[in-house]
Amino acid sequence: MRNFTYQKVNNSKMKWILGLIFLQLLSYNLTNGQSVGKIRGRVLSQDTNEPLIGANVLIIGTNLGAATGVDGSYIVLNIRPGVYALRFGYVGYQTKIIENVIVNSDQTTTINVTLEPATLIGQEVIVVAKKPIVEFNQTSTVVSINKDDITALPVQNLKDIVNLQAGVIDGHFRGGRLGEVQYQIDGVSITNPYNNSSILEIDRSLIEEVQVISGTFDAKYGQAMSGIVNTVLKSGSEKFILSGEIYGGDYFTGDIKRYPNNYSYSPIGIQNTQISLSGPTGLPKTTFFLSGRRYYNSGYLFGKRRFSPFDKHDFEKKKFTISGDSKLVPLNYRLEWSGQGKVLNTSISGIQISYQNIFNYIKAKNYNHSFRFNPDGIKTNYTTSFSHGISFVHTLSSRIFYKLNLRQNYFLYEDYVYKDLYDPRYLEAGPAKGDANYEDGAIVQGVDLGRFKQETHSYLLKGELAWQATNSDYIESGFEFQISKITFGPPGFFIYTSIGGVETLQPREQYPKMPGLRTYHPLQFAAYLQDRIEWNDLVVRAGIRLELFDARATIPSDLQNPANSITDAPPSYPKRTSMKNAIAPRLGFSFPLTDRTSVYFSYGHFYQLPGLGLLYDNADYSILDELQAGGISYGVMGNPDLKPEKTIQYEFGYKQALSEFFGTQVSFFYKDIRNLLGVEFVDTYTAASYGRFTNVDFGKAYGFTISLYQKNLNYITSSIDYTLQYAFGNSSDPRETANRAAAGKDPRPRTIPFNWDQRHTLNISLIYNNPSLITFSTILKMGSGQPYTPEIGTGFGADLETNSSRKKSFVLVDLRIERMFSFQTFNFTVFSRIINLFNNHFVNGFVFANTGSPDYSLTPAVHRSALNDPSRFFEPRRIEFGISFNSK
């Protein structure tokens, strides 16, 4: 076993405009095409090369199809991403079946067919389609990863998949801040408006396809400045299918100096069990999909239970009584339950109705080095989240359909040692205490008294209309309405109160100038119009989007008298925040130079509200009633009246099919980032000042990506991409200006590299897939070091030069190898996966400012505690073994 934001809209004119747009959209029965694709092409006679009028085109296994027109062309809309077989039939001609036709979200798959006159009745020809090595109908950088590639690669969840894409660095898309990406499931947002992050962690067993847009994107997408991640989840089937995956493993490293207490390998240190079942429900044309997963990871950071939280030591005499059992305790473990349920009904002709629910429950601890000998005093984190709702799709004709989505997104995060604020163990244990002379100040008694809760209820109504107006003109329009209830803050805290003349620790739910839980109800609305014109390989995508936001909060009417407490000053009163609006144009072109080469260009304005937690946090200006010049600091005040942040993006690219098997793409990008969240300082009438969030920060990002990819060559699929990127601005964090001012440094704007400015990134992936023999895959990721601030400047009397030095580069290699065995009713796969093969201990993490290294400091006595903290290193090598199965 192992040892363990714009113009203000507050007039009636804009409200009337909004109402007219909304009514117009409803009159069109608005709805969706975001998570569907389409197939188009022509059917010709092989003998005469003339169009066959009225030929039948059918997607086998579905009720989708079309008949060819006078020029032999056909279009099939509203197809879920996946792999299909097409049947082409015409009287007097052979029937032809095209297999392995891949359909991706929001993309057009072109299948042109020639039919040969039949010599025998019932004669049928089967052809296997090959996906074009280069997709010429895209006007920006779009990558679609299907379930087969996801299964073959050494990845486990959506986050792993996204971070493999060119231009994505630890969740930052092309130099943007975190939280500038919208995450969607089947075309509907699952983003938590509190911090603009995904509410769900999605396991690969649920995924049909992932579409990652890291460049510019169409007007149908909003509330994002840097990228879109749209995940299409699996649906039920017409026959019963049972599948699952079971694996175990552990971290394995011989480096017990950096990773103490990792002496041996335990196959149950990591445990994963996942089961999926799909099939017919027994009701007419109704299918279901159910999946559940339990995952446990004991982690690689441990503590020893040397003390109990309830110990009472003699700190004055330095006497510490060891009362614990000295057992190893996991201090960065994770327990997760997750799953999906979906029911789909197509019993009414032209109508699809579905209900879907995806959920997560996570219990975890975050390592705290100070509590390594008192592990029971650390807080535990609990996350409960789900997204569920009804989708209604109505196909009005072969050229027009609409979709309505009604969804609730729920997210709850809590951390505490004991759930109940009034649990007597809080007062019995008391606050955490340690001694600087005992084990570098380790906590030897008490518990972490911190408590936090963040809860979001979001209700979304989304409608979209898709209309193939002509063979070359595809029009989409839609609206989104979202209302949220956001609650956050400490659900109670502990303060010392004088009781009988004795300072005694007491729980409190509210206290003056220490607010507990706060609740807000923001509103968001958006509408868009998008046109996609496709003339053979010439593609034009143009659209415009309107965004509206109402924080539904108040701010002081006079910021120079924020708490209305300055005598003889003009009075200040709470003023309602104004509605914010933004109009975002988008434009893209893809132009063929030859039948194997194309160029593309795209441009757009992209708006996004900062995480609403930053708008609302510390936004009660009444606490400033005693603000004085040179007095105490009240922190940075929130600002519910913030405008949206803005990015103007440009992208230019070149694509070429070098052969049937090889293709290349070069993409140049530039981002002008404005109105970023930052801090301004407001002077009051008494010459005091305070910090306040506002839209003052700025930045730029530019660079290029070169990709080379290979497909359709025997059993091998591979890709390599290199990204050169420059990302800089005046601050990496919204609070950076305030922090510099508090430290007595110059807070004025200056241009510096962002913390995530990783100049060079190289990704290589290779898949060898021979089902009768073996499947092998590997991912190699190389990156240059990100910036850090050195401890000493370069000139006489120099201040710290922010982000003027670079951390060292890194290389990460992951592997997966598997062997499939086929039996009468099931296919079984035995696999092994190794993450961080070479046990790299550093990947752009913590470094000592005086050396740039995580391993040593020039002042070891000062940094003694940090030098003994193993959490500063990157996650070590992880080895897993398991089996997966699926019924035939």
Side-chain angles (χ1 to χ4, degrees):
M1 292 288 294
R2 110 176 251 168
N3 295 316
F4 307 34
T5 187
Y6 317 96
Q7 303 166 1
K8 297 183 178 179
V9 184
N10 46 19
N11 56 57
S12 59
K13 182 178 179 180
M14 180 55 73
K15 294 180 180 179
W16 274 107
I17 293 173
L18 280 178
L20 289 173
I21 292 174
F22 185 79
L23 290 173
Q24 182 182 14
L25 294 177
L26 286 180
S27 69
Y28 284 142
N29 294 321
L30 280 188
T31 27
N32 181 4
Q34 254 176 266
S35 289
V36 295
K38 67 176 181 177
I39 299 175
R40 63 179 296 177
R42 297 184 71 197
V43 180
L44 305 177
S45 170
Q46 183 170 309
D47 284 355
T48 65
N49 205 36
E50 294 293 325
L52 297 180
I53 304 171
N56 292 317
V57 183
L58 175 67
I59 301 179
I60 298 175
T62 75
N63 58 1
L64 298 175
T68 58
V70 293
D71 59 350
S73 65
Y74 70 94
I75 298 175
V76 185
L77 305 178
N78 194 24
I79 310 171
R80 282 184 59 84
V83 182
Y84 297 93
L86 271 64
R87 175 181 282 117
F88 297 85
Y90 192 70
V91 176
Y93 286 76
Q94 289 178 335
T95 297
K96 181 176 285 188
I97 296 176
I98 309 293
E99 297 180 335
N100 197 40
V101 176
I102 300 175
V103 176
N104 297 126
S105 298
D106 197 30
Q107 300 298 329
T108 301
T109 299
T110 301
I111 301 293
N112 295 317
V113 171
T114 59
L115 299 183
E116 185 178 349
T119 57
L120 296 173
I121 297 176
Q123 191 173 15
E124 191 173 81
V125 177
I126 298 178
V127 178
V128 177
K130 290 186 178 181
K131 187 177 181 179
I133 194 66
V134 172
E135 298 285 353
F136 290 128
N137 60 0
Q138 297 170 352
T139 61
S140 64
T141 301
V142 181
V143 177
S144 297
I145 311 100
N146 61 43
K147 63 181 179 182
D148 294 332
D149 288 343
I150 293 171
T151 300
L153 287 169
V155 295
Q156 186 60 43
N157 55 42
L158 178 61
K159 181 180 177 181
D160 296 338
I161 299 166
V162 172
N163 280 326
L164 287 179
Q165 309 311 312
V168 180
I169 300 172
D170 298 328
H172 298 272
F173 278 49
R174 290 187 170 177
R177 286 178 175 178
L178 287 177
E180 294 185 358
V181 178
Q182 183 174 108
Y183 288 84
Q184 300 182 340
I185 286 181
D186 294 335
V188 184
S189 173
I190 56 167
T191 300
N192 183 357
Y194 174 79
N195 57 5
N196 287 338
S197 64
S198 173
I199 66 169
L200 295 169
E201 299 191 18
I202 302 175
D203 182 65
R204 67 178 193 164
S205 60
L206 305 179
I207 298 175
E208 182 73 34
E209 180 196 67
V210 176
Q211 183 186 70
V212 181
I213 309 176
S214 55
T216 58
F217 39 88
D218 289 345
K220 66 172 68 178
Y221 303 106
Q223 270 302 299
M225 294 198 300
S226 291
I228 302 293
V229 177
N230 183 26
T231 305
V232 180
L233 300 184
K234 294 179 179 178
S235 292
S237 56
E238 294 297 334
K239 68 174 184 177
F240 286 105
I241 298 177
L242 177 65
S243 64
E245 182 177 72
I246 301 171
Y247 66 81
D250 200 359
Y251 296 93
F252 182 73
T253 173
D255 189 352
I256 60 173
K257 181 180 179 180
R258 291 191 177 96
Y259 305 100
N261 303 313
N262 285 266
Y263 303 110
S264 60
Y265 180 86
S266 169
I268 60 171
I270 298 172
Q271 307 163 24
N272 182 87
T273 304
Q274 181 271 322
I275 300 292
S276 296
L277 177 65
S278 68
T281 63
L283 300 174
K285 295 185 178 182
T286 305
T287 61
F288 74 92
F289 178 87
L290 289 174
S291 181
R293 177 179 183 244
R294 179 191 182 273
Y295 174 81
Y296 175 75
N297 186 336
S298 62
Y300 60 95
L301 299 169
F302 300 86
K304 287 186 178 180
R305 190 182 286 114
R306 187 181 296 180
F307 302 104
S308 163
F310 309 105
D311 290 341
K312 303 298 178 184
H313 303 291
D314 190 339
F315 287 92
E316 184 176 348
K317 295 181 179 180
K318 311 297 183 183
K319 291 184 178 181
F320 305 100
T321 303
I322 296 178
S323 62
D325 55 17
S326 295
K327 287 185 177 180
L328 285 179
V329 180
L331 291 187
N332 71 323
Y333 73 81
R334 180 183 182 88
L335 173 65
E336 177 181 345
W337 293 87
S338 60
Q340 176 197 2
K342 184 173 185 177
V343 178
L344 174 64
N345 178 277
T346 58
S347 60
I348 303 174
S349 178
I351 293 178
Q352 293 182 8
I353 303 175
S354 64
Y355 170 80
Q356 180 170 258
N357 192 336
I358 313 99
F359 75 92
N360 286 163
Y361 170 78
I362 301 170
K363 178 182 178 181
K365 280 188 183 292
N366 296 327
Y367 183 78
N368 187 326
H369 188 62
S370 297
F371 280 89
R372 63 193 181 278
F373 301 128
N374 180 19
D376 297 327
I378 297 181
K379 295 188 295 184
T380 303
N381 311 323
Y382 302 87
T383 302
T384 302
S385 56
F386 61 82
S387 177
H388 74 119
I390 297 174
S391 175
F392 177 86
V393 184
H394 186 192
T395 302
L396 300 175
S397 71
S398 63
R399 289 181 173 265
I400 187 168
F401 69 94
Y402 67 90
K403 181 177 181 180
L404 289 171
N405 273 289
L406 180 62
R407 180 180 291 179
Q408 179 193 13
N409 292 335
Y410 176 77
F411 179 85
L412 172 64
Y413 171 88
E414 297 176 289
D415 61 37
Y416 47 76
V417 178
Y418 308 116
K419 183 176 180 63
D420 188 356
L421 174 66
Y422 299 98
D423 192 311
R425 289 175 292 180
Y426 270 123
L427 303 184
E428 182 184 353
K433 292 183 179 181
D435 188 276
N437 296 313
Y438 182 85
E439 296 282 357
D440 303 327
I443 302 299
V444 297
Q445 73 177 47
V447 299
D448 187 336
L449 298 179
R451 297 166 60 84
F452 184 76
K453 176 181 179 180
Q454 197 283 298
E455 185 176 23
T456 300
H457 295 263
S458 290
Y459 300 89
L460 295 90
L461 174 63
K462 182 169 185 175
E464 294 177 275
L465 172 75
W467 175 34
Q468 189 74 49
T470 68
N471 286 344
S472 59
D473 198 5
Y474 186 66
I475 300 174
E476 298 170 276
S477 59
F479 71 90
E480 299 176 46
F481 176 78
Q482 177 174 317
I483 182 170
S484 301
K485 177 184 177 183
I486 298 176
T487 301
F488 67 95
F493 36 79
F494 297 88
I495 62 170
Y496 279 96
T497 304
S498 179
I499 300 179
V502 179
E503 291 294 310
T504 305
L505 189 69
Q506 293 292 309
R508 291 287 186 271
E509 295 181 17
Q510 297 284 342
Y511 198 74
K513 297 190 178 182
M514 296 178 65
L517 291 174
R518 288 143 285 169
T519 299
Y520 297 88
H521 300 84
L523 291 175
Q524 293 172 262
F525 176 81
Y528 72 86
L529 180 65
Q530 178 76 38
D531 193 7
R532 188 199 316 175
I533 302 172
E534 298 172 316
W535 291 302
N536 297 320
D537 287 329
L538 173 62
V539 179
V540 179
R541 303 175 82 127
I544 191 165
R545 183 178 182 92
L546 170 67
E547 304 250 16
L548 292 161
F549 172 72
D550 189 350
R552 302 175 77 188
T554 62
I555 58 171
S557 61
D558 189 343
L559 294 175
Q560 294 183 278
N561 185 13
N564 197 29
S565 59
I566 302 176
T567 305
D568 298 327
S572 181
Y573 55 88
K575 181 180 66 172
R576 176 75 181 264
T577 56
S578 61
M579 184 181 291
K580 306 299 186 299
N581 79 93
I583 297 177
R586 316 278 170 84
L587 182 63
F589 299 91
S590 177
F591 183 76
L593 300 178
T594 70
D595 61 343
R596 303 171 69 88
T597 306
S598 75
V599 294
Y600 63 89
F601 168 80
S602 56
Y603 157 87
H605 290 212
F606 305 90
Y607 297 91
Q608 184 179 27
L609 286 158
L612 300 188
L614 293 174
L615 274 74
Y616 295 132
D617 188 28
N618 200 27
D620 182 2
Y621 287 72
S622 65
I623 68 172
L624 301 178
D625 58 347
E626 297 179 2
L627 182 67
Q628 298 177 14
I632 63 173
S633 171
Y634 293 90
V636 178
M637 303 302 295
N639 182 5
D641 208 31
L642 284 168
K643 299 182 292 186
E645 299 172 320
K646 176 182 180 181
T647 292
I648 302 175
Q649 288 196 54
Y650 305 84
E651 184 174 2
F652 173 78
Y654 169 85
K655 295 182 181 182
Q656 181 166 353
L658 301 175
S659 71
E660 185 181 354
F661 310 109
F662 292 93
T664 186
Q665 178 175 345
V666 181
S667 177
F668 299 87
F669 62 89
Y670 176 85
K671 299 170 65 174
D672 182 9
I673 310 168
R674 308 175 184 179
N675 288 339
L676 281 177
L677 188 63
V679 175
E680 68 173 351
F681 292 94
V682 181
D683 294 325
T684 69
Y685 293 113
T686 58
S689 65
Y690 61 93
R692 174 180 184 256
F693 280 129
T694 190
N695 302 93
V696 294
D697 282 359
F698 56 87
K700 293 183 186 296
Y702 56 88
F704 66 85
T705 297
I706 302 176
S707 302
L708 180 66
Y709 35 89
Q710 169 268 316
K711 303 175 184 177
N712 308 327
L713 182 61
N714 296 327
Y715 302 110
I716 299 175
T717 300
S718 61
S719 68
I720 178 171
D721 62 71
Y722 164 76
T723 302
L724 173 66
Q725 174 181 282
Y726 295 82
F728 53 90
N730 69 304
S731 69
S732 300
D733 183 86
R735 289 184 170 88
E736 187 171 326
T737 301
N739 293 338
R740 288 182 60 83
K745 301 169 188 175
D746 187 354
R748 290 176 296 181
R750 76 274 192 239
T751 300
I752 57 174
F754 286 141
N755 292 344
W756 53 90
D757 178 35
Q758 185 170 298
R759 290 287 166 80
H760 308 281
T761 305
L762 180 69
N763 297 318
I764 301 175
S765 67
L766 172 67
I767 300 173
Y768 174 81
N769 186 7
N770 185 346
S772 63
L773 182 61
I774 199 171
T775 296
F776 169 85
S777 66
T778 184
I779 296 170
L780 182 147
K781 192 177 188 73
M782 302 175 63
S784 61
Q786 296 175 5
Y788 77 96
T789 302
E791 190 170 285
I792 302 173
T794 59
F796 177 76
D799 192 6
L800 299 182
E801 298 180 14
T802 304
N803 285 350
S804 58
S805 290
R806 293 273 168 176
K807 302 174 184 178
K808 65 180 182 179
S809 59
F810 68 90
V811 178
L812 287 175
V813 178
D814 301 336
L815 298 176
R816 179 185 173 94
I817 186 169
E818 63 182 47
R819 177 73 165 88
M820 189 179 75
F821 301 90
S822 183
F823 297 92
Q824 187 173 2
T825 56
F826 280 90
N827 291 322
F828 283 87
T829 299
V830 180
F831 68 87
S832 176
R833 182 167 57 191
I834 306 176
I835 307 300
N836 191 8
L837 174 67
F838 298 114
N839 200 38
N840 193 338
H841 71 277
F842 178 77
V843 178
N844 277 322
F846 168 87
V847 297
F848 291 101
N850 57 20
T851 65
S853 168
D855 289 307
Y856 68 98
S857 167
L858 297 179
T859 53
V862 175
H863 296 129
R864 187 171 56 183
S865 179
L867 284 166
N868 292 319
D869 186 349
S871 67
R872 72 186 191 275
F873 297 115
F874 188 71
E875 182 179 283
R877 180 191 299 114
R878 189 172 84 237
I879 304 176
E880 299 163 345
F881 300 92
I883 61 171
S884 62
F885 62 89
N886 64 280
S887 58
K888 294 182 178 179

